[in-house]
Amino acid sequence: MSDPVVEFSESTHPHHPALAAIAKVLSTVAPAEWEIVQPWAEALLSALNRGDSYIIVPRDHLAELRCCGTLVGNIYSYSPFILNQQQLFFGRMWQLEQDVATCISKLCAPSTQSLDKSVAEDLQKWFPDQHASEQRFAAALALLQPFVLINGGPGTGKTTTVAKILALLLKHVWQAPYPPQIALIAPTGKAATHMASALHHAIQQLDLSADILKSLSQLSGQTVHRLLQLRPPLLTGPFNPTNPLPVDILVVDESSMLDLSLFRALLRSLKPNIRLILLGDANQLPAVGLGNVLADLSVSTILTPALSQQLQQILPQQSLPPYQPDAGIAAHVATLTHSYRFDPKKGIGALASACISGDDNAAVQAIESFQQLERRQVSLAELCEIWYQLQHSWWKAVREHDVETIFSHLTDIILLAVRKADANTFNQLYRQYLARQWQVDTENGFAGLPILITQNDYDIGLYNGDIGVMLPDPDDAQHLLAYFAHGHTFRKIALSRLPQHEPAFAITVHKSQGSEYDQVWLLAPQSEASSDDPLFNRALMYTALTRARQHFTFCGSITQLTQAIKNSDHRRSGLRTALNQLMQSPS
């Protein structure tokens, strides 16, 4: 499908705040050219805000831009702007995608791994289920390829598969006399913790040697920022190609949340001989920042002839994907489609399928047909009353100062909002409702208030996405502390020491990524003219929906639901093209 040209009108773009700083430099360098380039620069800035890395220039404007040789160059030049056919990039964004593509292509060196017959036996023994052929293939691919992406939706067994991969790598591939350094990371703290917990559960189900079980049991999750030791405001760290991370095997979960800048920082920190495993769901929301890394890499699997032959030896009874000599990144991708959690024809699974396919009629039919799904249209004031009743067990545990029970209810139910403003409004209205119910002041902190950390604090050990609860100090009931789960115990932090945080009765869908809840309520945009809100798209709907384990309630109109399913919100990215050119060019 061709990339559509966006209608360009100089008068329709409001002045972007960064434009003045750019103009101050470039209008001095090439005044005449800047008069021509300025409106395109402003359009590019707006595109970056949407997550696009380039804009499409209509053909009748190409000639004038090509005449601006000082400011606008081709792909072989170092210029403030790069024009590649009809695609116009900021030079810095162009280079960012090229750097990421170059790093990935270096990781994708042809496999020279030789595996014996015992690997085939373990693959069959550890993936015996009739639906496990996709997981078995993903594991085999990860044993042969130093870089692999495992893409799959909720309940497809990504974490279980990677647990078995790590065990197989230690048993059959790792040859050094010392154990490898393994790191488990994710973009947020809660996603990293969730991955580590799921992995620990999975390895307990495997027949492993004491040494391997010990190595994997000691693994803990951490954020990408923490691993790379990235410090604000420039987010620079000590690791780079000349001083790489001391990590031999790296697993990255929730890779859809990686933007291009963070992904480049990660890739540039790795050792040349590292094994990198990316996990994620390409149908989820892309990162808040630039690009759509996981979706760009998640192509249909195609093997090289040599790789196909290697896989036939360890998967002798399994049909394999097609092969061709120039498979490129496709030879490093495994996709899991069978969900052990949801039936694709029922309930949450049916609505998720409708989101992926963009079938708004199927979405409406699903939400009206299955008890696991519900649609409500209530005011925020009514929702506060409903929420208080739904949180009965939570508030009972708070009154009884039962910390373990409080945290056991933390994932019972969540209200997710499309817009941050709506989440903020509900949080404020709900606090006012609680104040009327209890006849107490809830403007400041109060017992039972869940909080979401929004800024990394390495000194205290709290990270973006961590969830805590304000509760009384056991030594002074009049004094509140913030409690955070820490293994099987709880950390208590003084409120004055907390990094930036916000109430978390309601949070945005973006901030829910990496989490799961028994019940999810999705609050559609609340403004009157929001039925076609471009922010509310099928990826956001799918992401909110798949946070739910048991029940999903949509708070909005049928019109809002159908518009969201229809809106695909495709991001423009040059990463896949850059990667294809590098990996399919002759060496």
Side-chain angles (χ1 to χ4, degrees):
M1 184 175 69
S2 61
D3 205 345
V5 176
V6 172
E7 288 296 325
F8 174 76
S9 172
E10 193 171 333
S11 62
T12 60
H13 291 281
H15 288 304
H16 192 282
L19 186 66
I22 297 173
K24 186 174 182 180
V25 176
L26 298 187
S27 63
T28 304
V29 172
E33 290 185 11
W34 177 244
E35 287 189 15
I36 297 172
V37 173
Q38 176 178 338
W40 301 102
E42 193 159 8
L44 262 175
L45 288 169
S46 297
L48 292 183
N49 286 350
R50 298 190 300 270
D52 297 340
S53 61
Y54 65 84
I55 59 175
I56 299 294
V57 178
R59 293 187 184 278
D60 55 354
H61 288 272
L62 291 174
E64 63 179 5
L65 282 175
R66 287 179 181 141
C67 290
C68 299
T70 302
L71 300 184
V72 182
N74 59 32
I75 60 175
Y76 303 106
S77 64
Y78 295 93
S79 303
F81 301 88
I82 297 294
L83 184 61
N84 180 28
Q85 298 180 3
Q86 285 184 261
Q87 299 174 355
L88 182 67
F89 298 77
F90 280 118
R92 186 169 63 88
M93 297 302 121
W94 163 265
Q95 192 59 53
L96 177 59
E97 290 185 336
Q98 297 300 310
D99 289 348
V100 169
T102 299
C103 289
I104 293 175
S105 65
K106 289 179 179 178
L107 289 172
C108 294
S111 171
T112 58
Q113 190 72 52
S114 178
L115 300 173
D116 59 33
K117 189 176 181 180
S118 62
V119 176
E121 295 172 355
D122 276 348
L123 285 168
Q124 190 59 44
K125 181 173 68 174
W126 288 7
F127 297 94
D129 188 275
Q130 62 174 334
H131 298 297
S133 61
E134 293 174 338
Q135 295 181 3
R136 191 185 307 118
F137 171 79
L141 190 68
L143 295 179
L144 292 169
Q145 299 283 51
F147 168 70
V148 67
L149 164 62
I150 301 176
N151 173 38
T156 54
K158 296 188 293 293
T159 307
T160 299
T161 301
V162 87
K164 296 177 182 180
I165 289 171
L166 293 176
L168 290 166
L169 285 171
L170 293 182
K171 184 176 181 180
H172 295 286
V173 177
W174 186 256
Q175 302 297 328
Y178 53 87
Q181 293 294 314
I182 304 174
L184 309 177
I185 61 173
T188 66
K190 61 184 174 183
T193 300
H194 178 76
M195 171 175 55
S197 176
L199 187 139
H200 290 158
H201 176 75
I203 60 176
Q204 298 301 323
Q205 317 305 313
L206 303 177
D207 181 17
L208 303 175
S209 69
D211 288 345
I212 293 177
L213 184 59
K214 180 180 179 181
S215 293
L216 298 183
S217 297
Q218 292 174 342
L219 296 177
S220 60
Q222 59 185 309
T223 64
V224 181
H225 288 78
R226 183 182 177 190
L227 177 71
L228 300 183
Q229 298 177 29
L230 300 178
R231 296 283 180 173
L234 299 179
L235 294 181
T236 55
F239 302 111
N240 53 56
T242 58
N243 180 40
L245 275 167
V247 173
D248 302 299
I249 302 173
L250 180 62
V251 180
V252 187
D253 199 11
E254 297 293 345
S255 298
S256 62
M257 299 170 69
L258 292 173
D259 64 28
L260 278 168
S261 296
L262 185 57
F263 194 40
R264 179 177 65 173
L266 177 64
L267 293 174
R268 285 173 57 83
S269 72
L270 304 180
K271 300 193 297 187
N273 60 342
I274 196 170
R275 284 185 171 270
L276 175 62
I277 302 170
L278 299 183
L279 306 176
D281 183 351
N283 292 309
Q284 280 195 35
L285 278 169
V288 175
L290 183 69
N292 196 357
V293 169
L294 187 64
D296 285 339
L297 300 181
S298 297
V299 296
S300 298
T301 308
I302 302 173
L303 307 175
T304 63
L307 180 59
S308 181
Q309 188 174 11
Q310 289 174 301
L311 286 166
Q312 286 172 1
Q313 294 173 0
I314 58 176
L315 299 173
Q317 299 178 343
Q318 187 162 329
S319 60
L320 298 175
Y323 61 83
Q324 64 185 46
D326 57 349
I329 191 63
H332 299 263
V333 179
T335 302
L336 308 181
T337 60
H338 177 76
S339 177
Y340 292 84
R341 186 184 307 169
F342 301 128
D343 184 333
K345 296 182 180 179
K346 297 179 181 178
I348 291 173
L351 185 52
S353 298
C355 289
I356 293 171
S357 63
D359 189 338
D360 57 306
N361 291 325
V364 173
Q365 184 176 0
I367 211 163
E368 292 180 345
S369 302
F370 299 107
Q371 291 185 347
Q372 199 178 37
L373 305 172
E374 185 179 3
R375 188 180 69 83
R376 301 280 292 270
Q377 227 171 334
V378 294
S379 68
L380 291 183
E382 293 171 319
L383 189 56
C384 288
E385 187 173 348
I386 293 170
W387 213 248
Y388 187 64
Q389 298 301 319
L390 290 172
Q391 287 193 314
H392 172 77
S393 298
W394 170 274
W395 294 120
K396 181 175 183 292
V398 170
R399 287 193 300 272
E400 295 172 353
H401 304 289
D402 187 343
V403 179
E404 287 191 9
T405 301
I406 291 168
F407 274 82
S408 73
H409 289 304
L410 199 55
T411 58
D412 284 357
I413 188 169
I414 190 68
L415 178 64
L416 302 181
V418 173
R419 289 178 168 176
K420 182 175 177 58
D422 292 336
N424 292 343
T425 300
F426 177 81
N427 283 323
Q428 183 62 27
L429 289 175
Y430 192 48
R431 290 167 76 155
Q432 293 170 1
Y433 177 87
L434 295 174
R436 293 193 298 271
Q437 289 292 117
W438 301 337
Q439 298 301 305
V440 298
D441 178 18
T442 60
E443 278 303 306
N444 300 306
F446 58 95
L449 174 66
I451 57 173
L452 175 74
I453 300 299
T454 58
Q455 182 183 56
N456 295 326
D457 190 316
Y458 299 96
D459 296 327
I460 297 178
L462 292 175
Y463 305 98
N464 180 29
D466 287 349
I467 294 283
V469 182
M470 289 188 187
L471 294 168
D473 184 337
D475 298 323
D476 180 3
Q478 302 303 312
H479 184 239
L480 291 176
L481 298 173
Y483 285 63
F484 293 86
H486 185 66
H488 297 293
T489 60
F490 302 96
R491 295 179 62 201
K492 296 183 280 288
I493 308 291
L495 302 187
S496 60
R497 299 188 63 206
L498 289 176
Q500 289 183 9
H501 58 279
E502 58 190 38
F505 292 116
I507 62 176
T508 62
V509 177
H510 278 91
K511 290 178 180 176
S512 74
Q513 288 178 270
S515 301
E516 294 176 354
Y517 304 88
D518 291 339
Q519 292 189 58
V520 169
W521 288 51
L522 176 61
L523 184 63
Q526 296 296 292
S527 64
E528 293 182 4
S530 61
S531 62
D532 59 349
D533 188 337
L535 180 64
F536 192 17
N537 54 64
R538 71 181 66 157
L540 189 143
M541 181 76 180
Y542 172 87
T543 303
L545 170 68
T546 54
R547 300 311 91 207
R549 288 186 287 246
Q550 298 175 9
H551 195 273
F552 175 78
T553 300
F554 177 67
C555 294
S557 67
I558 287 292
T559 300
Q560 287 177 307
L561 174 67
T562 57
Q563 289 290 345
I565 300 297
K566 290 177 184 178
N567 182 8
S568 65
D569 190 35
H570 171 69
R571 280 191 177 183
R572 291 194 174 102
S573 167
L575 177 59
R576 185 181 294 180
T577 299
L579 195 54
N580 288 340
Q581 291 172 345
L582 281 171
M583 296 188 70
Q584 294 178 6
S585 60
S587 56

